[in-house]
Amino acid sequence: MNSFFPRRYVIQGIFIAIALVLLLRLFYIQVIDKSYFLSAKDNVLRRIPIFPARGLILDRTGKVLVQNEPVYDLMVIPNEVKPFDTLEFCGLIGINKEDFDKKFKKAIKYSRYTSSIFEKQLSALTYAAFQEKLYEYPGFYVVNRSVRYYPDSIAAQFLGYIGEVSERDIEKSVGFYRKGDYIGKTGVEKSYEELLRGQRGVQQLMVDAFNRPKGHFADGRYDTIAVSGERLISSLDKDLQKFGEQLMVNKIGSIVAIEPSSGEILTFVSSPSYNPNLMVGRQRGKNYTALNTDPLKPMFIRPIQAEYPPGSIFKVINALLGQQFGSIKADTRFFCGGGYYYGGSRPMKCTHVHGSSDLPRSIQVSCNTYYGNVYAAMIDRSGMRSVNGFKRWREGVAKFGIGSRLDIDLPHERKGLLPTDSLYTKRYRNDKWRSGYNISLSIGQGELGITPLQMANVAATVANRGFFYKPHLVKAIGEKKYIKPEYTKKNYVGVDAKYFEPVIQGMSMVVNQFPGTATYSAIYNIEICGKTGTVQNPHGDDHSVFFAFAPRNNPKIAIAVVVENGGHGSTWAAPIASLLIEKYLTDSTKRDKYYVDRILKGNLLPRPKVAPKPVAPKKPDSSSNKQKQQPAVTANKKR
Amino acid sequence: MINQRSLFFNIDWIIIFIYITLCVIGWFNIHAAVYDPQNPSIVDLDTNYGKQLLFIVTALILGAVILLLDNKFFNAFSPIFYGVTLILLVVVLFVGRNVGGNQAWIPIGSFRLQPSEFAKFSSCLLLAKYLSSTNLKLQDFQTLIVCTLILVIPMALIMLQPDTGSALTFTSLVFVLYREGLSGYTLVIGALFIALFVLTLLFNTWAVTGILVAIAAVLIASNKKNRSFITTIAIGTAISVVFIFCVDFAYDSILQSHQRNRIDVILGKINDPRGEGYNLNQSKIAIGSGGLWGKGYLQGTQTKYDFVPEQSTDFIFCTVGEEWGFAGSFVVVTLYVTLLIRIINLAERQRSSFTRIYGYGVASILFFHFFVNIGMTIGLVPVIGIPLPFISYGGSSLISFTILLFIFLKLDSNRMGVI
């Protein structure tokens, strides 16, 4: 012991003070600051998403329309990549050096430390060759994915396609989608996305500092399995669809066939079409651009997006409304001297001089004069002012689903055009106009735009004698075959069943009795009831339109066919419809070969515009392309 | 008479208990740090924990041998120990094995000897022997020079390896000198210089100089009458300014880049958790993720999966922090502090100043390792590669710490004997 003895306390004090500093610091980082805990998880846990198989889409009889095919996405974590033989690598996956540099830079830009897709959708074949060498390329690994495969290459516009999610999709999904995920872009793939996509699973793997897997975190207690997407049973009849598409080759137009007793869509043809397999795989981008710039617009979903004035098929609606409003009766006769005079010197011309007709005959021969009179009776001689008569008429038409969306289970449906009275009041600067001012409405011309789907729906309504089920493309969902309740609800159109009989009589005579307009399309043992339409087209040949249902009693199919530039309804649209009806009802075609061949080989494409394929390159601007309608349609709206 | 009682009763069992506890904690944590579920055997001489078990047994035998040696042996032989150590430190520079950039190891058969570890206790012994000789006063300039030389020679040789961490250990012996009469200002001035060092690195050299001169001016202006005060302040300021520029120079020209980076990481001048700051960041993550109670034995992921480098040697405390949480860390820190306080209490009860001085040396060296090692794992001290006594994996360090401690126990057990 010496004089410096008290200094022991200074030294011990320093020791204790330092220990307290250490403990405080430890307390802070271990107990108070939680960020280290999270960082530790980041270090060790790798959340490996398990991609569920996307739901299959079947046709109404259970045949596969869309299935999945395995592909392999090549992923990269730039930070872990070690120098390697780039040339060999490029050779294996089939890209060149520039592509490689570009892709690698892109990956680095995304993140150095987390993985991103380097090359998408290697085929099973490419992968097999690549897999053996994969160990030579640290930082690269492969993730299984599945892509869509369409065994019959049909119904492209109906099925739609899937594509990588956009930034907006990711934002909207609130965390469901991640970069590189696939999402339905159009068609059923889009409208049933949430059912088809299934539930993604996650494996929480632990890795060490060198990213070597060390097994499942907590023995897999927090792992979730992927749940496959629901299976959709579509309403489509695969064989009928295929036949319809064959018949429409080299023609522009649509076919929509509906089962009247359910609203299920049997056929949904949009022509020209494309092979849906083009929208899959590594060439997708190229194919997409080509399709998008094609002047015939194969991506345009004509059955729900093309609007035409319906032409003479609209007479069916006017005949029904005329009776319902009490303006005419089934035996009301009007005289046709070759035209309807509605003021001024020029008549609304009729195709023939029909003489005196009653209602069924007026439909059979499609007499314009008769419907000029019916329309005038409804609008001008209704006991109210013409403008109010028109309002009543418009309401009646609207109930048939015209001028509004039918709410089919596909995206991008258009509602068409049904003019309101204010359009004319504005045009004629007062509301004292009369039926003569818009007389073309009586024969389905003028300011009318109706989609092929709406046409088919009217046919189904007539077949049902007064109501329709919402047309839809998916009849049942999943294993339990769930059916949406809205699809079992009857929508009445406000016309009594009794008024349908004379009209149906007329429609039957159109096909089955001389001088009906579509007797060429009659089938020996099936009573088809239909109506032709020839839609005036100021830009070229008239559009050929036909809608029908069959058989007359207890109808099984209602159909609408539009063939652009096909001329008279009886030349193209009616035979096509009749062939499809026969095929659907008897499962075969007993017609002569020349009858079918004429249609199969018929080419109605606008020749001068299409012949030289590499025309001046169109702007690959998809939005403007989609907005634009066919020339005929826009033009008709203006009339 | 107490001194008639056997050695067994004279040994301080508290220290022995703490020593063994720390060794056992160390062994378990080394096991956890390198644990491989595919190979769960406890005793496997191919693994670090298998070897450490061997080292612990060896160390215990060595400790027992030391306790049985004659008391005078250490006092008498301390110059020889010191000389041999110096020779080894020179030899290692020529025949040494280079591990991790340090020429610190002499291979002997399958073992590797680390002379710098042994320099610690031999320097302590010589310092104790020298200072305990009669008629010495630390206030004497000559005495101070001799003391400094005793410490600086091994330090310099170790710096040549270069093993900065081990060399810095010797600075902790300033506590011994302080206890033996070195002016208390030494500690204060030392602390001031450390503060100045940090400030210089954090801020602009000129700014720090300016502020220093300004403070000096204010102090002088407030006390104009006192000439000696003014002189002291002026000289102090001058030295400080020179020091600042020396720091600046030393930092840029003498320190190696990895040392500069480690300092910059601690000061927050570099924020690069993937690069320079990787070790520290991972170490903090491992400890910080332990929470209050830890993840449980063998449940730590950060250390086991190699995120923390050197996880069984210098960064062994990460395993403690991760698997045993704050509770475990608290226990370990408390054990160390108890050990240090106990050593000083024992040192102060000695009649022999040799034992006392040596005891302080032991405490200082252990304290330095304890503080710097744990401090670096939690980001309070720059990363300096020195082991955590008794816990870190490694034969040389365990054995040298054991020798260091057990010599003191032996000396203490004889406290009642003839000086």
Side-chain angles (χ1 to χ4, degrees):
Chain A
M1 232 180 263
N2 60 27
S3 57
F4 297 114
F5 175 72
R7 288 193 173 183
R8 67 177 285 196
Y9 297 117
V10 175
I11 292 172
Q12 289 181 335
I14 291 174
F15 289 175
I16 291 171
I18 292 283
L20 282 177
V21 168
L22 291 179
L23 284 177
L24 274 178
R25 173 75 175 166
L26 282 166
F27 188 75
Y28 179 75
I29 71 170
Q30 293 190 300
V31 181
I32 296 175
D33 190 342
K34 294 284 173 223
S35 67
Y36 293 107
F37 187 73
L38 299 175
S39 302
K41 270 195 151 177
D42 281 356
N43 262 344
V44 168
L45 289 188
R46 290 287 177 278
R47 294 167 57 87
I48 310 288
I50 309 295
F51 295 102
R54 204 172 165 84
L56 300 185
I57 303 177
L58 311 177
D59 92 334
R60 62 190 292 109
T61 57
K63 289 176 206 147
V64 175
L65 292 173
V66 187
Q67 63 194 44
N68 297 315
E69 209 179 44
V71 290
Y72 304 88
D73 281 354
L74 182 59
M75 313 293 286
V76 64
I77 304 173
N79 211 36
E80 290 172 9
V81 173
K82 308 243 159 65
F84 58 91
D85 185 348
T86 330
L87 272 183
E88 187 195 36
F89 181 87
C90 291
L92 280 172
I93 62 169
I95 59 173
N96 60 37
K97 183 78 174 61
E98 283 151 41
D99 280 348
F100 177 87
D101 291 340
K102 218 163 64 189
K103 284 165 191 289
F104 201 71
K105 253 183 219 141
K106 198 178 148 201
I108 288 176
K109 209 177 145 210
Y110 178 65
S111 167
R112 271 179 185 280
Y113 307 109
T114 52
S115 60
S116 57
I117 296 180
F118 184 80
E119 176 72 6
K120 270 178 273 185
Q121 302 183 357
L122 301 180
S123 70
L125 211 66
T126 313
Y127 173 63
F130 183 68
Q131 186 193 21
E132 290 171 20
K133 297 269 183 170
L134 194 57
Y135 73 94
E136 284 180 19
Y137 313 116
F140 287 94
Y141 66 101
V142 165
V143 169
N144 289 17
R145 292 253 177 150
S146 59
V147 291
R148 296 305 233 180
Y149 174 67
Y150 308 87
D152 288 277
S153 313
I154 55 166
Q157 292 87 351
F158 154 72
L159 295 168
Y161 51 85
I162 58 174
E164 238 176 272
V165 284
S166 65
E167 292 295 328
R168 249 185 86 223
D169 294 329
I170 295 176
E171 260 168 55
K172 268 201 308 198
S173 74
V174 227
F176 185 88
Y177 295 108
R178 266 167 244 162
K179 200 174 155 59
D181 282 352
Y182 289 96
I183 186 173
K185 292 282 187 189
T186 64
V188 171
E189 296 276 20
K190 179 174 180 173
S191 50
Y192 288 88
E193 167 69 17
E194 274 156 40
L195 295 166
L196 287 169
R197 69 186 180 192
Q199 190 62 48
R200 195 171 32 206
V202 169
Q203 278 185 352
Q204 311 235 29
L205 291 186
M206 293 196 292
V207 296
D208 70 3
F210 309 103
N211 242 332
R212 289 178 299 219
K214 288 286 177 183
H216 290 247
F217 175 65
D219 295 327
R221 233 174 296 147
Y222 300 103
D223 293 358
T224 53
I225 52 163
V227 181
S228 304
E230 296 278 9
R231 201 173 59 180
L232 295 187
I233 300 171
S234 82
S235 60
L236 234 51
D237 182 306
K238 187 167 112 174
D239 299 333
L240 198 66
Q241 175 75 18
K242 209 168 175 177
F243 188 46
E245 289 191 14
Q246 284 165 0
L247 293 174
M248 289 299 281
V249 167
N250 284 332
K251 295 159 201 78
I252 303 173
S254 313
I255 302 173
V256 178
I258 299 178
E259 183 179 66
S261 59
S262 65
E264 291 166 9
I265 294 176
L266 304 168
T267 310
F268 189 87
V269 179
S270 179
S271 184
S273 188
Y274 62 93
N275 181 345
N277 287 312
L278 290 177
M279 297 303 288
V280 178
R282 291 160 83 183
Q283 303 303 317
R284 181 179 186 277
K286 232 196 296 174
N287 293 336
Y288 179 83
T289 315
L291 289 172
N292 215 12
T293 49
D294 187 330
L296 295 177
K297 299 190 180 64
M299 310 266 272
F300 190 59
I301 311 170
R302 288 185 163 77
I304 56 170
Q305 291 183 322
E307 300 167 10
Y308 310 89
S312 298
I313 62 171
F314 198 66
K315 289 169 184 167
V316 168
I317 292 178
N318 278 333
L320 291 167
L321 290 177
Q323 294 179 81
Q324 180 70 26
F325 299 154
S327 305
I328 54 165
K329 290 200 173 80
D331 55 5
T332 305
R333 302 186 84 89
F334 292 107
F335 179 79
C336 171
Y340 172 71
Y341 290 84
Y342 55 94
S345 54
R346 280 185 326 125
M348 178 171 77
K349 274 192 183 163
C350 198
T351 48
H352 301 92
V353 178
H354 290 119
S356 170
S357 305
D358 62 2
L359 197 154
R361 186 166 184 274
S362 74
I363 288 178
Q364 181 193 22
V365 298
S366 195
C367 179
N368 288 352
T369 314
Y370 191 92
Y371 286 93
N373 283 305
V374 173
Y375 185 67
M378 284 191 285
I379 306 296
D380 300 337
R381 297 194 291 278
S382 57
M384 45 183 142
R385 295 181 54 211
S386 290
V387 65
N388 292 333
F390 179 84
K391 279 182 193 165
R392 183 182 62 169
W393 172 83
R394 186 188 184 280
E395 247 169 63
V397 176
K399 280 193 181 157
F400 282 84
I402 287 165
S404 58
R405 287 185 192 89
L406 284 168
D407 236 355
I408 188 178
D409 43 354
L410 277 189
H412 316 304
E413 185 191 358
R414 294 179 66 95
K415 59 183 187 184
L417 175 68
L418 177 61
T420 58
D421 55 292
S422 58
L423 174 78
Y424 301 105
T425 304
K426 223 178 265 168
R427 181 182 296 171
Y428 302 116
R429 299 216 172 75
N430 61 53
D431 61 357
K432 297 204 172 57
W433 48 270
R434 293 165 62 83
S435 68
Y437 286 64
N438 50 27
I439 194 68
S440 19
L441 296 178
S442 66
I443 57 164
Q445 296 290 157
E447 296 83 358
L448 280 171
I450 296 182
T451 63
L453 175 72
Q454 288 167 333
M455 295 180 192
N457 189 49
V458 172
T461 308
V462 177
N464 287 336
R465 276 80 169 166
F467 64 89
F468 64 90
Y469 296 98
K470 215 180 223 186
H472 52 276
L473 286 157
V474 170
K475 59 183 258 178
I477 298 163
E479 296 297 324
K480 289 179 197 153
K481 311 214 164 158
Y482 170 78
I483 299 171
K484 292 190 189 173
E486 57 184 295
Y487 292 155
T488 54
K489 192 181 143 247
K490 288 179 181 177
N491 299 283
Y492 285 92
V493 298
V495 176
D496 300 342
K498 62 180 177 195
Y499 298 130
F500 282 87
E501 273 322 309
V503 174
I504 290 170
Q505 172 63 27
M507 287 171 74
S508 174
M509 283 152 62
V510 165
V511 182
N512 304 309
Q513 189 178 325
F514 186 81
T517 51
T519 47
Y520 177 64
S521 303
I523 313 172
Y524 155 69
N525 55 351
I526 302 170
E527 187 173 359
I528 299 178
C529 304
K531 179 76 193 81
T532 55
T534 308
V535 178
Q536 295 168 20
N537 175 12
H539 295 269
D541 295 333
D542 292 345
H543 300 321
S544 173
V545 176
F546 183 73
F547 80 169
F549 63 89
R552 178 171 177 168
N553 295 314
N554 198 9
K556 292 274 180 277
I557 179 170
I559 189 167
V561 179
V562 176
V563 181
E564 288 184 22
N565 314 116
H568 194 269
S570 59
T571 357
W572 294 103
I576 289 173
S578 128
L579 280 171
L580 285 170
I581 289 170
E582 184 188 18
K583 167 94 176 158
Y584 183 67
L585 293 180
T586 68
D587 213 15
S588 61
T589 310
K590 293 202 179 68
R591 241 60 85 77
D592 294 336
K593 193 168 176 295
Y594 77 90
Y595 189 95
V596 183
D597 280 355
R598 181 188 79 95
I599 296 171
L600 287 176
K601 289 180 186 153
N603 187 338
L604 297 169
L605 297 181
R607 256 161 242 148
K609 281 182 196 162
V610 173
K613 262 264 158 142
V615 274
K618 278 207 166 184
K619 274 189 223 158
D621 182 354
S622 64
S623 62
S624 75
N625 271 336
K626 273 187 178 168
Q627 301 281 300
K628 276 185 208 156
Q629 290 274 335
Q630 282 102 323
V633 177
T634 26
N636 274 319
K637 270 193 216 164
K638 281 179 205 142
R639 270 174 51 134
Chain B
M1 294 280 288
I2 303 171
N3 65 339
Q4 297 303 316
R5 291 168 67 183
S6 72
L7 175 72
F8 184 83
F9 291 101
N10 281 331
I11 292 175
D12 187 67
W13 286 101
I14 296 180
I15 287 185
I16 300 264
F17 171 75
I18 294 177
Y19 165 80
I20 290 176
T21 310
L22 288 173
C23 285
V24 169
I25 290 176
W27 183 83
F28 272 109
N29 282 296
I30 292 164
H31 179 236
V34 298
Y35 177 71
D36 178 2
Q38 261 96 57
N39 184 14
S41 107
I42 294 280
V43 185
D44 180 348
L45 288 183
D46 286 339
T47 61
N48 280 1
Y49 49 92
K51 286 185 197 160
Q52 183 74 1
L53 198 61
L54 207 64
F55 295 147
I56 292 174
V57 172
T58 313
L60 283 173
I61 293 169
L62 204 61
V65 171
I66 288 168
L67 291 178
L68 293 174
L69 285 175
D70 188 87
N71 198 38
K72 301 216 169 55
F73 176 79
F74 301 104
N75 193 334
F77 277 75
S78 57
I80 293 168
F81 286 145
Y82 189 76
V84 169
T85 310
L86 289 191
I87 290 167
L88 287 175
L89 282 174
V90 173
V91 167
V92 78
L93 294 176
F94 296 103
V95 304
R97 201 117 131 237
N98 196 317
V99 176
N102 291 350
Q103 188 95 352
W105 310 81
I106 299 176
I108 303 171
S110 62
F111 277 95
R112 293 183 301 184
L113 196 69
Q114 199 177 4
S116 55
E117 292 294 339
F118 298 99
K120 289 168 192 169
F121 74 84
S122 57
S123 302
C124 272
L125 279 175
L126 191 66
L127 189 68
K129 183 176 173 66
Y130 174 69
L131 280 176
S132 62
S133 39
T134 42
N135 298 325
L136 266 184
K137 274 190 171 175
L138 249 180
Q139 288 85 343
D140 291 346
F141 189 63
Q142 198 193 344
T143 315
L144 206 57
I145 291 291
V146 174
C147 289
T148 313
L149 277 180
I150 291 175
L151 302 181
V152 164
I153 293 170
M155 249 177 108
L157 287 171
I158 293 171
M159 282 295 268
L160 286 176
Q161 293 180 355
D163 184 356
T164 321
S166 299
L168 283 175
T169 312
F170 290 85
T171 60
S172 65
L173 293 172
V174 74
F175 285 121
V176 180
L177 302 181
Y178 169 71
R179 167 63 184 85
E180 294 309 314
L182 192 68
S183 164
Y185 287 120
T186 325
L187 291 185
V188 177
I189 289 172
L192 276 179
F193 275 119
I194 291 173
L196 215 50
F197 177 81
V198 171
L199 285 174
T200 310
L201 294 185
L202 273 181
F203 305 106
N204 183 304
T205 317
W206 293 104
V208 177
T209 312
I211 291 168
L212 209 63
V213 171
I215 293 173
V218 169
L219 283 174
I220 291 172
S222 68
N223 201 347
K224 280 178 201 162
K225 301 268 166 63
N226 192 337
R227 288 199 113 211
S228 64
F229 177 77
I230 295 177
T231 319
T232 315
I233 296 287
I235 292 172
T237 312
I239 293 174
S240 301
V241 170
V242 171
F243 177 76
I244 289 171
F245 284 94
C246 283
V247 166
D248 210 36
F249 171 76
Y251 181 74
D252 287 337
S253 315
I254 296 178
L255 284 188
Q256 291 168 314
S257 72
H258 74 273
Q259 294 168 328
R260 258 202 307 276
N261 287 333
R262 287 170 179 181
I263 293 172
D264 285 348
V265 166
I266 284 291
L267 294 179
K269 283 164 82 176
I270 294 184
N271 186 12
D272 179 12
R274 293 274 172 181
E276 296 302 340
Y278 178 81
N279 288 11
L280 176 59
N281 187 48
Q282 293 299 337
S283 159
K284 284 202 284 189
I285 288 173
I287 295 171
S289 66
L292 186 55
W293 299 109
K295 297 178 185 170
Y297 183 52
L298 298 182
Q299 301 302 310
T301 49
Q302 305 302 304
T303 44
K304 200 163 55 177
Y305 294 156
D306 301 335
F307 288 97
V308 181
E310 306 290 330
Q311 73 267 43
S312 57
T313 54
D314 293 348
F315 282 91
I316 188 67
F317 190 73
C318 294
T319 311
V320 178
E322 187 183 9
E323 299 198 341
W324 305 99
F326 179 70
S329 309
F330 184 85
V331 168
V332 169
V333 170
T334 309
L335 281 173
Y336 275 113
V337 173
T338 315
L339 178 66
L340 294 173
I341 302 288
R342 181 72 189 162
I343 289 172
I344 287 180
N345 286 347
L346 293 193
E348 288 293 351
R349 74 181 182 186
Q350 304 300 322
R351 282 195 284 173
S352 149
S353 54
F354 173 77
T355 310
R356 183 185 69 228
I357 295 167
Y358 180 74
Y360 268 92
V362 173
S364 305
I365 287 174
L366 290 179
F367 167 72
F368 184 83
H369 281 85
F370 152 74
F371 167 56
V372 170
N373 182 283
I374 296 183
M376 81 178 178
T377 60
I378 55 180
L380 286 178
V381 177
V383 174
I384 296 171
I386 55 172
L388 189 57
F390 316 121
I391 291 187
S392 280
Y393 166 76
S396 277
S397 87
L398 178 64
I399 286 169
S400 73
F401 281 123
T402 307
I403 294 172
L404 187 74
L405 186 66
F406 274 71
I407 289 176
F408 177 66
L409 280 177
K410 171 64 194 166
L411 294 174
D412 171 64
S413 71
N414 206 48
R415 62 190 172 275
M416 296 304 170
V418 185
I419 300 172

